[in-house]
Amino acid sequence: MDFTPSEEQAAAQGLAARIFGDLSTPDRLAAAGSGADAELWKELCAAGLPGAAEETGLLGLVLLAEEQGRTTAQVPFAASCVYGLLAVAEHGTDEQRGRLLPAFREGTAVAAGAFPAHAAVRAEADGRLNGVVPVVPWLRDATHVLVAAGDRTLWIVRTPGPGVVTERVETTAPWSAGRLVLEGAPAERLGGSGAYGKVLATARTAFAGVQAGVCAGSLTRAVEHTSTREQFGRPLSTNQAVLLRAADAYMDTEAIRVTAYEAAWRHDEGLPYEEQALTAAWWASEAGRRVVHAGQHLHGGTGADLDHPVHRHFLWGRQLDAHLGGSGTVLQELGELLVKEGPA
């Protein structure tokens, strides 16, 4: 295995780091509320970064998603790349790719994902969908929703559209979420019977990358705070308890990152990666929760300020934990997969 970024991947990551760093500032994030930052999204699309996520593979997307997470940028970047660009590129027909991919690359179309499969969503014989998905992140900014029906088939739904009702929902992290109500909504099928599992594994890997960035950003803020904040005449960072807490958070962050890289690398090499995607999701959920708690704790009383930038990392980390399914659920699914596969 070699996770060293290619020249193209490194260039795309550097560009993403610059744009996210310059535009995703605490003041702009506060002004955006729970909605997306339209100007930031415009800049990302003008730089061709959604298209770069397709050209540089899943590992490239994980690297870009890290930069989004590092600044908790209020844009549907990772979601649209996973549920729109990569899903259609890998599982769409020639006609679907020709019709949908240009808009996803340019950012004029935005995808959200009604994942995982919801038993309440039924796909009728005529290709219409009925059911309710309580929470869909970035739904309020989406032009298309990739819906996983209860039978694990994938369907693309236009929004707004006939039979599609969206209702505003506020989540832990300000992800422009909504409640999706489908009442005989026309939809088009995406991929065959195996598409659901592959898109889900891709999404888990990409959002583990986002979590790696969220944790890295939280830890960076904690290091800056403890290095400059003094207690009893010396920086907080010289206290052994602080050093150990930060070291544990660093190791957890690296575990999230390396497992996400491995899953993405296996995907790009055409190797089975469902097990690795679940492993990355477990680390992102379990360790990610620990890291963002540590980041807030290491800020002491400052971390209790809901307007402090570190609190946004805390909210994103907890939201990603829930979005990935929770560590217990993911671990159970991983165990069932290992039992099913049997000894290597």
Side-chain angles (χ1 to χ4, degrees):
M1 291 180 287
D2 183 4
F3 305 148
T4 304
S6 66
E7 184 177 342
E8 293 78 9
Q9 289 169 338
Q13 185 182 25
L15 179 59
R18 181 176 62 79
I19 295 175
F20 282 128
D22 289 346
L23 298 183
S24 187
T25 62
D27 289 343
R28 289 176 61 94
L29 291 170
S34 64
D37 186 330
E39 183 179 342
L40 174 56
W41 180 247
K42 182 178 178 180
E43 288 294 325
L44 292 170
C45 296
L49 285 175
E54 179 189 12
E55 296 169 0
T56 57
L58 184 54
L59 181 55
L61 175 55
V62 168
L63 294 170
L64 298 177
E66 270 193 81
E67 300 307 325
Q68 178 180 9
R70 197 183 306 273
T71 57
T72 60
Q74 284 292 106
V75 285
F77 179 77
S80 190
C81 288
V82 167
Y83 298 122
L85 197 66
L86 295 188
V88 173
E90 293 187 10
H91 305 290
T93 63
D94 290 341
E95 188 278 332
Q96 287 174 324
R97 288 194 290 267
R99 172 166 48 90
L100 296 172
L101 285 182
F104 284 131
R105 293 185 188 117
E106 295 168 2
T108 54
V110 175
F115 270 67
H118 292 269
V121 177
R122 305 183 312 278
E124 310 296 345
D126 61 356
R128 294 181 179 271
L129 301 183
N130 288 286
V132 177
V133 184
V135 180
V136 178
W138 305 109
L139 178 61
R140 303 200 310 261
D141 299 303
T143 58
H144 299 74
V145 185
L146 185 60
V147 180
D151 59 358
R152 298 196 170 192
T153 53
L154 295 182
W155 303 84
I156 301 174
V157 176
R158 286 296 303 266
T159 177
V164 180
V165 179
T166 60
E167 302 169 357
R168 185 187 183 98
V169 170
E170 297 298 339
T171 54
T172 300
W175 281 5
S176 193
R179 181 173 181 261
L180 179 66
V181 181
L182 303 168
E183 300 172 337
E188 58 178 306
R189 179 77 180 268
L190 181 72
S193 58
Y196 168 78
K198 292 179 180 178
V199 172
L200 181 58
T202 299
R204 283 168 166 160
T205 303
F207 284 107
V210 176
Q211 185 74 300
V214 168
C215 292
S218 175
L219 186 57
T220 296
R221 292 189 182 280
V223 169
E224 291 174 351
H225 176 79
T226 56
S227 298
T228 56
R229 181 82 169 184
E230 291 190 356
Q231 187 179 57
F232 306 120
R234 59 176 185 164
L236 288 171
S237 59
T238 60
N239 293 323
Q240 188 178 40
V242 172
L243 290 171
L244 292 175
R245 191 77 189 274
D248 286 342
Y250 174 78
M251 293 303 294
D252 274 339
T253 300
E254 289 302 296
I256 299 169
R257 178 181 286 118
V258 74
T259 51
Y261 285 5
E262 181 184 8
W265 176 83
R266 290 182 66 89
H267 168 276
D268 293 344
E269 292 295 313
L271 300 171
Y273 68 104
E274 184 180 2
E275 177 184 323
Q276 286 74 21
L278 280 166
T279 302
W282 181 83
W283 275 104
S285 181
E286 178 74 14
R289 184 173 63 249
R290 288 197 297 263
V291 172
V292 295
H293 275 265
Q296 189 149 335
H297 186 203
L298 288 171
H299 278 75
T302 306
D305 182 358
L306 301 185
D307 294 326
H308 193 281
V310 77
H311 188 66
R312 185 174 293 270
H313 291 271
F314 174 79
L315 296 178
W316 273 63
R318 293 310 306 263
Q319 187 67 56
L320 283 162
D321 171 25
H323 186 62
L324 290 164
S327 58
T329 300
V330 172
L331 188 61
Q332 179 180 348
E333 189 176 341
L334 177 58
E336 292 171 350
L337 177 63
L338 294 175
V339 170
K340 181 179 178 181
E341 291 179 347

